[in-house]
Amino acid sequence: MLEPSPIFAHGGDLNRAIADYTKAIEQSPANALAWRARGLAFRAKGDNAKAADDAAEAARLKPDMADAHLDLGLSLQGAGDASQALAEFDKAIELNPRDAHLLKARGDGYLALGDAERAIADFSSAIDLDAKMITAYIDRGAAYLGKSDWDLAIADFSRAIALDANQYAAYLDRGQAFGAKREREQAIADFTHAIRMRPEAPAAYRQRAFWRQASGDSQGAIDDYNHVIKLDPRDAEAFRGRGYAYLSRHENDAAIADLTAAIALNPNDALAYRFRGSAYAAKRDLRRADLDDAAALRLNPKVR
């Protein structure tokens, strides 16, 4: 009987895996494991629609296969049908209520729908069953982060890091929680650690730049925004952030250049207009300053 391991069994060749499992299905259409395995391969390729079809057939052929309902839920979630995905996670959990991975998957489903309380309940149940499930701590931390429960979020991210220090997401998210608490040094330290782990990812540079600027280190912020812009030359937020850093250093021409670039990339950025207006005012170009201030207020009357 074929086992549902399309990636490892085929050396990572998903197309060959799909072809082989298709042959197996043609030879034995009632083979639920073959349907499930081909669905896994389709999902690994990013084809959630076909993955959902195959998982649904596996679940029809073997209704007591909890993993088939899990696969169907994950595929539906990937296709954007979060509500129906939850129904499949429910079915999987009814079949196997003490499976931590099923509870964690449903928690992710609730989190995707913005139901943090139910998500936290499922993540907590998963952790009760498996105290070493790192992803459950990270995702529960993310749910707490969304609820502005900074200390609980930090505690979960710290548990994940204690279990495995190579958790990029935990450092990145814990840095955000520390930042929200205005614990800037800890935030910067976490973003620095995340950057060491993934120097090619812009998110930690962007976050560290913000808190470096907030701590008065405008040159450090500029250095970080330089990295972000090198990695993504169309990052409007990075141009705005670097422009503000230049503005804080009274380098008004450099600020205007960056803020103009930010506005070109995102014409609805009220803050970029506001900061550029300040740079023009510092240069005594009051006409352009007034125009930018008016544009900022038009886009967001709360911007001052």
Side-chain angles (χ1 to χ4, degrees):
M1 182 178 291
L2 287 170
E3 292 297 324
S5 52
I7 300 174
F8 299 111
H10 295 79
D13 188 339
L14 294 172
N15 289 326
R16 185 161 67 89
I18 289 167
D20 285 351
Y21 286 121
T22 298
K23 289 179 183 176
I25 290 166
E26 290 170 352
Q27 293 168 4
S28 180
N31 186 343
L33 283 176
W35 284 98
R36 184 190 171 219
R38 191 176 70 172
L40 288 171
F42 276 129
R43 195 168 88 239
K45 284 191 69 175
D47 192 337
N48 286 295
K50 289 182 179 178
D53 287 343
D54 279 2
E57 182 62 14
R60 186 189 70 79
L61 289 167
K62 195 169 176 58
D64 62 345
M65 187 194 294
D67 283 344
H69 292 288
L70 171 65
D71 295 341
L72 179 53
L74 292 172
S75 299
L76 290 167
Q77 193 174 61
D81 191 347
S83 296
Q84 190 57 42
L86 276 178
E88 293 303 322
F89 296 144
D90 286 341
K91 292 175 185 177
I93 291 167
E94 286 174 10
L95 291 165
N96 194 352
R98 294 190 59 78
D99 189 317
H101 292 90
L102 300 181
L103 288 160
K104 192 264 183 186
R106 189 174 67 180
D108 287 333
Y110 281 129
L111 195 59
L113 286 172
D115 191 339
E117 294 297 341
R118 288 185 178 178
I120 289 167
D122 272 350
F123 296 141
S124 297
S125 295
I127 289 166
D128 287 341
L129 291 166
D130 183 355
K132 294 185 178 180
M133 183 179 281
I134 294 169
T135 54
Y137 286 112
I138 292 174
D139 291 352
R140 189 173 69 176
Y144 283 133
L145 196 63
K147 283 168 52 67
S148 303
D149 290 338
W150 316 125
D151 290 332
L152 291 174
I154 289 168
D156 271 351
F157 297 137
S158 297
R159 289 188 189 103
I161 290 166
L163 288 166
D164 181 358
N166 296 313
Q167 292 297 319
Y168 171 83
Y171 281 107
L172 188 66
D173 289 349
R174 191 175 70 173
Q176 292 182 51
F178 277 131
K181 291 187 67 180
R182 298 298 187 267
E183 296 180 12
R184 295 169 182 171
E185 290 184 8
Q186 293 94 325
I188 290 169
D190 273 357
F191 295 135
T192 299
H193 201 106
I195 287 166
R196 291 196 192 103
M197 295 176 70
R198 294 190 187 176
E200 77 289 352
Y205 287 109
R206 188 184 299 109
Q207 294 281 354
R208 189 174 70 173
F210 179 87
W211 289 110
R212 279 181 160 179
Q213 180 64 38
S215 300
D217 181 8
S218 57
Q219 185 56 57
I222 289 167
D223 292 342
D224 279 345
Y225 285 127
N226 286 342
H227 281 290
V228 177
I229 291 166
K230 182 177 180 180
L231 291 165
D232 182 2
R234 295 191 60 78
D235 191 316
E237 184 181 336
F239 278 106
R240 185 233 287 159
R242 192 174 68 176
Y244 180 77
Y246 281 129
L247 180 63
S248 71
R249 293 164 62 88
H250 309 292
E251 297 180 29
N252 297 309
D253 289 333
I256 289 167
D258 270 356
L259 295 163
T260 299
I263 291 165
L265 291 165
N266 180 11
N268 296 317
D269 188 339
L271 278 176
Y273 281 105
R274 178 68 184 87
F275 296 154
R276 192 175 68 173
S278 296
Y280 279 131
K283 286 170 61 69
R284 300 292 189 270
D285 190 340
L286 300 183
R287 183 183 66 83
R288 286 177 173 165
D290 288 343
L291 288 172
D292 275 355
D293 286 346
L297 289 171
R298 184 172 63 251
L299 290 166
N300 184 355
K302 295 181 180 181
V303 169
R304 299 291 178 186

